[in-house]
Amino acid sequence: MKVVMLLGRSSGGIAGHVAEIGADLRQQGVDVLVVTDPLTAQRFDLQQVRPWWPGSGGWFRTLRDFRRLRRLAATSDVVHAHGLRAGALGVFAVRSLRRETHPRVVVSLHNLPVGGRSVRAISAALERVVARGSDVVLGVSGDLVERARDRGASRTARALVPAPVPLPIRRTTAQVRESLGVQEGAVLLVTVARLAPQKGLDTLCDTSLVLKDRLDAGDLSGISGLTWVVAGDGPLADYLAGRIETQGLPVVALGLRDDVPDLLAAADLVISTAVWEGQPLWLQEAMALGAAIVATDVGGTHEVTADGALLVPAGDPAYLSGRIMDLLGDRPRRQALGEAALKRAHELPTIAEAVAQLMSVYAG
């Protein structure tokens, strides 16, 4: 079986997921070719990759690359696209082939479309293309599956997206805290996120300011301060840096990091302020480390965490800061939350289960 996987530019979980399932599918004897953006191919060291991406170099190159994509599709058994834009490209490429039999089109939707009015209008049109032109649409959360059905998808399922294989912890908690400049008696909060609108950075900043004021006022004895680190990069990096500087927030923007497991393991609390999530891989990673997690109850987050995290409403800094303060003042409760996270981590889908699902979908 030959599978062409389409993937646009990615700096996070989607590309890591494609790399993981691609490697495992090859072990099952599947011939997997990944078509993606060159930077993504390089960053994630994707195997058997065709490092180009339609639409990235002007109209002439777009037309040329689309023709190359059609030729690849014509010699494949399955075209599996990841993401809405990639899904639409896959549908157009396969449905434009002039032959009686076509490769199956499978589209995995990893994100909810966000943006301004024009972006939402384009996304709505692409959603209909993907839903009606795909053989199977997989959604990483229940709401994405429901959206695909509403837009005409005939066969849908919730995608199994296991956490990446965890990297080893390289430093102790004390070493991590020292490297971050966390003072004795201060608390460490950790967030890992692509710095984009759906990650709720406004809520994060507003919550950090409330926490700073309450701790400065002595609302919790024995806690002398707060450091909230954010690991990740993205289009809102300058916005976050600006708010940190102008408001004096107790937030440190770390940029992209290769020591995320160390950070998560050293945190007093792991916090997600997202306004939408699919199957947040970084929270799965935090759960596997037994971290105490507070996360907004959005998208597929509850489907992932179940009782392994304290879930709160999105966009409510006052409520979120209150729950964080409660936990910071209650060590046994934090420990119990970490134990619940670890238990839940052992119940999550494995890479073997994810690949088995894909093999069944590919076979029809």
Side-chain angles (χ1 to χ4, degrees), residues 35-342:
V35 176
T36 190
D37 168 82
L39 292 178
T40 302
Q42 181 179 13
R43 175 176 292 174
F44 289 88
D45 193 24
L46 293 169
Q47 300 178 38
Q48 293 178 240
V49 67
R50 185 66 63 87
W52 50 265
W53 183 246
S56 60
W59 285 107
F60 178 77
R61 181 174 174 180
T62 296
L63 180 60
R64 182 192 65 189
D65 286 350
F66 184 74
R67 288 173 174 168
R68 294 167 70 183
L69 180 57
R70 287 179 73 248
R71 288 196 293 271
L72 288 177
T75 59
S76 68
D77 300 296
V78 178
V79 172
H80 184 177
H82 293 265
L84 186 58
R85 181 180 172 222
L89 281 170
V91 168
F92 286 137
V94 170
R95 300 310 174 197
S96 67
L97 294 175
R98 298 177 181 177
R99 45 186 272 189
E100 292 184 3
T101 60
H102 296 85
R104 288 176 62 77
V105 180
V106 178
V107 178
S108 291
L109 298 177
H110 294 263
N111 287 294
L112 185 72
V114 295
R117 180 180 299 177
S118 60
V119 172
R120 292 197 302 272
I122 293 171
S123 296
L126 295 181
E127 283 183 297
R128 288 190 292 271
V129 168
V130 166
R132 298 170 186 177
S134 303
D135 294 286
V136 183
V137 178
L138 303 175
V140 300
S141 60
D143 56 345
L144 289 182
V145 173
E146 186 175 349
R147 284 175 69 93
R149 287 199 203 103
D150 290 345
R151 284 151 180 74
S154 59
R155 183 181 172 189
T156 60
R158 185 171 177 273
L160 299 181
V161 184
V165 177
L167 297 173
I169 304 297
R170 298 179 294 186
R171 294 178 294 167
T172 66
T173 295
Q175 289 172 329
V176 172
R177 292 171 67 92
E178 181 181 3
S179 72
L180 296 172
V182 181
Q183 301 297 318
E184 185 71 25
V187 296
L188 175 62
L189 307 184
V190 174
T191 296
V192 180
R194 182 171 184 267
L195 304 184
Q198 73 182 54
K199 299 305 181 179
L201 297 180
D202 281 332
T203 298
L204 187 153
C205 292
D206 293 342
T207 302
S208 75
L209 195 57
V210 175
L211 290 172
K212 179 179 182 295
D213 290 343
R214 292 190 62 179
L215 292 174
D216 287 347
D219 284 6
L220 276 181
S221 61
I223 296 180
S224 61
L226 165 72
T227 299
W228 190 335
V229 300
V230 182
D233 199 1
L236 295 184
D238 290 342
Y239 169 80
L240 178 60
R243 284 206 60 177
I244 293 171
E245 182 178 359
T246 58
Q247 295 184 278
L249 303 180
V251 177
V252 180
L254 300 176
L256 291 174
R257 301 282 291 208
D258 61 1
D259 61 346
V260 166
D262 291 3
L263 300 175
L264 295 173
D268 292 290
L269 287 172
V270 167
I271 312 292
S272 171
T273 59
V275 297
W276 188 85
E277 287 280 13
Q279 291 185 40
L281 297 181
W282 77 278
L283 286 184
Q284 294 187 45
E285 191 171 4
M287 291 165 66
L289 293 169
I293 300 169
V294 182
T296 46
D297 189 4
V298 295
T301 300
H302 181 262
E303 298 171 52
V304 171
T305 65
D307 296 328
L310 175 62
L311 299 183
V312 300
D316 192 339
Y319 187 85
L320 175 57
S321 60
R323 302 294 73 72
I324 291 174
M325 290 289 287
D326 291 343
L327 286 170
L328 292 178
D330 191 343
R331 181 181 294 272
R333 190 178 174 199
R334 292 205 310 272
Q335 292 175 337
L337 196 56
E339 292 168 1
L342 189 58

